[in-house]
């Protein structure tokens, strides 16, 4: 019988976090949020977004204009 390592492998950690995220066991909402955060970081979901505009668009509302004018 092969001896199991005392240190979890990367795939095992990802499986455990996914299990928590999917609420396959009884877990607190804070644990679900933390698992989602760790998985998001692992997959680079929170990095700088490419293709985003450098400046926000300007919206001008003309309040002086009246209907029928």
């Amino acid at each position: 019988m092969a001896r199991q390592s005392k240190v979890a492998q990367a795939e095992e950690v990802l499986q455990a976090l996914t299990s928590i995220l999917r609420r396959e066991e009884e877990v607190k909402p804070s644990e679900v949020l933390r698992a989602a955060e760790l998985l998001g970081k692992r997959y680079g979901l929170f990095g700088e977004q490419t293709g985003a505009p450098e400046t926000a668009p300007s919206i001008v509302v003309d309040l002086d204009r009246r209907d029928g004018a």
Side-chain angles (χ1 to χ4, degrees):
M1 181 175 192
R3 182 177 169 182
Q4 240 181 351
S5 173
K6 291 185 179 185
V7 179
Q9 299 295 313
E11 186 67 23
E12 184 180 358
V13 172
L14 293 174
Q15 288 173 356
L17 289 171
T18 300
S19 175
I20 292 168
L21 181 66
R22 292 180 178 165
R23 299 176 187 223
E24 294 174 353
E25 299 174 21
E26 189 72 28
V27 293
K28 296 184 239 177
S30 61
E31 293 172 325
V32 174
L33 182 61
R34 182 67 175 148
E37 179 183 2
L38 291 171
L39 285 168
K41 284 182 180 180
R42 164 65 178 91
Y43 291 111
L45 299 178
F46 307 122
E48 187 175 321
Q49 300 293 319
T50 58
E54 292 181 15
T55 58
S58 297
I59 300 173
V60 178
V61 178
D62 187 1
L63 297 176
D64 290 332
R65 183 177 173 177
R66 292 177 175 68
D67 288 339

